[in-house]
Amino acid sequence: MKKYISTGLIVSAFFCLASCKQSKPEVYTPEHFQALSLLGDSLKIPERSVEAEARLMANLDEAKANYLANPTEMNTIWLGRRYAYLSDYRKAIEVFSEGIEAFPSSYKMYRHRGHRYVSLREFDKAISDFAKAYELMPKDTMETEPDGAPNALNIPLSNTQFNILYHYGLAHYLKGEFDKAESIYKECMEYSDNPDLKVATMDWLYMTLRRQGKTEEANALLNSLNSDWEIIENDSYMKRLLMYKGELKTEELFKTDNADVALSLATQGYGVANWYLYEGDTATAKRIFKDVVNGTSWAAFGYIAAEADLSRLQ
């Protein structure tokens, strides 16, 4: 004999399942292994304090809720950024890729995905994304980009156009394509509208010029540096430029009051190693490059650049 289930029971079962599902939210488990370094080492999500992890996870939960409620372009970008701040760059790229499918003209989405391809050492993919972002972005404006980790003054300093060009030039620099990086950084200077952005662009442009043997042009660039500029975020870049200019000793760059000591030392250590490389002391440069990559801030640009230089020097 056939048995029948009433519609009411089906509906009740559905709501029960929905309620059970809500009471047991999906637990996010990041993929610990992220990539291989340019030297063949495993890059894994770093350990954090309980407090830092809780703060980052709370930010992620908020971004998830906003995205689920309204999957706009910016809510998608923030979801990807929150995964990236947890060092889960693979998950961030997945979110940005889905975002590009939904918003194919989003130069901001390409900008953020390209950044995370750099983090994973996938430079060709990064360059492709930044080229697309540059093609799509408006060139006659500077759109303020909100900070994920606000500075001490809680004032966003960068703009989207700057970030696209800055990271675009970086990707070429990391590949050793210094001529391409140079032209991009020179255009990036047009969008560097405050001292923090100026010193960041000047620093990478200086290194790009020196790598091509354009010492006179590099020194002329240093002459435009104003040591009285008030720097809010990019003190590491300012110190590197002052060292190149001869106004700061190399050992001063290893002293830091930055809360993120590993990041600061990766950034400044790379600058010091570069200086020795320019001066022809390859042995000292290699030793400091190795010190940088023995640190923990493997997503820092100085760390990645040290890897790139070591891989070429070896």
Side-chain angles (χ1 to χ4, degrees), residues 35 43 89 114-122 298-299 301 304:
L43 302 175
Y89 304 120
H115 184 168
R116 295 314 166 188
Y117 276 135
V118 169
S119 300
L120 297 185
R121 283 61 170 167
E122 298 184 37
W298 58 261
F301 297 151
I304 303 172

Side-chain angles (χ1 to χ4, degrees), residues 9 17 43 51 72 86 96 155 158 160 168 171 174 186 224 232 236 265 280 287-289 297:
L9 287 174
L17 286 172
L43 302 175
E51 294 79 7
T72 62
L86 281 157
F96 295 136
I155 301 174
S158 68
T160 298
Y168 193 6
L174 294 170
K186 285 180 175 177
S224 66
I232 298 171
S236 292
L265 293 181
R287 177 178 58 77
I288 301 174
F289 284 145
S297 291

Side-chain angles (χ1 to χ4, degrees), residues 153-174:
L153 300 182
N154 198 24
I155 301 174
L157 297 175
S158 68
N159 60 79
T160 298
Q161 285 72 15
F162 163 86
N163 277 316
I164 289 170
L165 287 162
Y166 179 79
H167 294 91
Y168 193 6
L170 174 69
H172 280 296
Y173 179 97
L174 294 170

